[in-house]
Amino acid sequence: MTQQVSKAALNGAQTPANDTVHTLPTGRDKRAIGPENRPFPAWHYAMLNDHARNGAIAAAIADLDLAGKTVVEIGAGSGIIAILFARAGAARIVACEMNPAMAEVARETIARAGMADRIELLACSSTEAIEKGLLPEAPDVIFTETVDCGVIGEGFHAIARDIRRLAGEKTIVLPHEIRQYGLPVCAPAIWGLNHVDQVFGVDMAPLNAWATRTYFPVRAAWHGFETAASPQRVRTYDYLQERPARPVIFESRINGIVHGLLSWFELQMGRHVITNAIGEHSHWHQAFHPFPEPLKVHEGQKIALRIADDGRVELL
Ligand SMILES: C[S@@+](CC[C@H](N)C(=O)[O-])C[C@H]1O[C@@H](n2cnc3c(N)ncnc32)[C@H](O)[C@@H]1O
């Protein structure tokens, strides 16, 4: 059962005669929409208000000569980047968004911005759009901002495969490279966000069967940690060229326990860089990649590891 509700009515405003009418489940109003029934993640709000991110993307777009050019966007979200490309003069933008609710929002923001004649919004994944021949081949620009705190969680590998299928020799890919940095840390508080032993003498370890083994977002500075070795680049991601995992060797500067690897990225957006490094005002948290078990180390000990394709730390 569904009911027709206008967005303006939901916002407490008078419903104008030409207001777009949306279909919402019966009995739900704005007050009832919480994280559990919103059809897209809440980070879209924080992301859209991340001025450092937005500024770098806008600056990278402003650096391009877009007159007469065709742009493909993978992951349009609520449509802002496609609109920026249109404002910057691109002749044709084909944007795909695989979350249907998000795609509907994008369609509306694009219409409100008066850009519907130049932006084509496809409510499907890039893979589906390529398979159906809906995306122009060898476009002048391919843009995607589909990166989570640990780079790959929003589907990096699939999107990179799609970009390689679509790109021509002259296609500019934004971003073209993402550098991931990391450092091993002694961080019992962060470890405790994903692991439990005894509570009041009761063995709670069965819960650990569900612990994250890849990585999870964390505001590192909030929880505190001890740096166990100097930071290094741990992996490079490139949309045009496969860059396999490589071993990285850290040298411990502590006698103690290492719980995992804290990582952050530098996303190269043309000449501009977006980062979620510790201390930056970014909507992205850092990523914490827990070791399989806490590792006892001594000063000078080598810690060899690799970031696997699923973001997991493999100790070598
Ligand atoms: C981080 S948001 C960015 C939105 C927008 N580009 C921006 O920068 O404001 C990424 C969006 O990409 C969508 N997405 C992820 N992988 C996709 C794919 N392969 N095809 C289409 N959409 C995708 C997600 O649903 C999400 O809405």
Side-chain angles (χ1 to χ4, degrees):
M1 280 276 291
T2 58
Q3 173 190 16
Q4 301 287 295
V5 183
S6 87
K7 270 254 173 76
L10 286 176
N11 288 326
Q14 292 273 317
T15 308
N18 64 351
D19 186 27
T20 316
V21 173
H22 297 269
T23 305
L24 289 176
T26 309
R28 300 235 173 121
D29 64 13
K30 187 178 165 218
R31 282 158 297 173
I33 293 178
E36 72 289 351
N37 54 7
R38 183 190 298 111
F40 58 85
W43 50 250
H44 275 276
Y45 298 103
M47 177 191 71
L48 288 166
N49 285 308
D50 183 333
H51 302 301
R53 179 199 91 111
N54 296 350
I57 295 174
I61 293 174
D63 282 346
L64 301 172
D65 174 11
L66 290 166
K69 301 283 170 64
T70 297
V71 177
V72 165
E73 183 183 14
I74 297 181
S78 50
I80 182 65
I81 308 300
I83 292 168
L84 289 185
F85 272 106
R87 272 199 196 159
R92 181 183 178 215
I93 300 119
V94 185
C96 57
E97 171 51 55
M98 68 183 188
N99 178 315
M102 232 40 241
E104 193 189 330
V105 171
R107 211 161 260 141
E108 195 170 324
T109 59
I110 290 163
R112 286 182 186 206
M115 299 295 189
D117 55 333
R118 275 191 288 148
I119 304 174
E120 191 183 331
L121 199 276
L122 307 171
C124 63
S125 75
S126 47
T127 307
E128 193 182 333
I130 290 171
E131 276 160 11
K132 289 184 176 162
L134 300 174
L135 291 178
E137 281 180 26
D140 297 294
V141 180
I142 301 177
F143 176 93
T144 190
E145 195 283 77
T146 38
V147 165
D148 74 339
C149 64
V151 180
I152 51 116
E154 269 202 68
F156 173 86
H157 297 293
I159 291 168
R161 271 194 300 278
D162 288 346
I163 290 178
R164 283 173 207 139
R165 282 165 81 182
L166 211 57
E169 268 183 23
K170 292 188 178 157
T171 301
I172 294 170
V173 178
L174 285 180
H176 69 275
E177 180 181 273
I178 304 159
R179 297 175 291 279
Q180 187 175 40
Y181 296 87
L183 82 167
V185 289
C186 173
I190 297 176
W191 178 258
L193 299 175
N194 187 53
H195 186 93
V196 62
D197 292 316
Q198 291 203 349
V199 180
F200 296 123
V202 180
D203 182 7
M204 303 305 290
L207 198 59
N208 296 331
W210 298 96
T212 300
R213 286 167 172 70
T214 53
Y215 61 84
F216 57 88
V218 66
R219 290 265 183 228
W222 289 2
H223 298 280
F225 59 88
E226 186 185 358
T227 301
S230 304
Q232 292 191 52
R233 193 191 297 197
V234 289
R235 193 151 176 178
T236 304
Y237 300 87
D238 185 323
Y239 284 105
L240 287 174
Q241 200 190 328
E242 261 189 84
R243 302 272 198 111
R246 284 181 191 284
V248 185
I249 299 171
F250 292 92
E251 187 174 319
S252 175
R253 58 163 86 144
I254 64 163
N255 291 307
I257 305 285
V258 175
H259 294 92
L261 187 89
L262 263 183
S263 82
W264 60 93
F265 60 74
E266 285 178 359
L267 192 150
Q268 193 69 43
M269 208 38 102
R271 294 186 297 134
H272 309 274
V273 171
I274 302 174
T275 181
N276 62 340
I278 300 163
E280 292 290 327
H281 290 284
S282 168
H283 79 283
W284 282 286
H285 295 33
Q286 290 78 50
F288 184 73
H289 311 243
F291 282 4
E293 293 294 334
L295 183 70
K296 196 158 185 258
V297 294
H298 58 80
E299 207 178 325
Q301 181 176 330
K302 304 271 192 270
I303 306 168
L305 58 82
R306 181 169 54 202
I307 305 283
D309 283 352
D310 62 3
R312 197 184 298 229
V313 164
E314 290 174 345
L315 291 174
L316 303 172

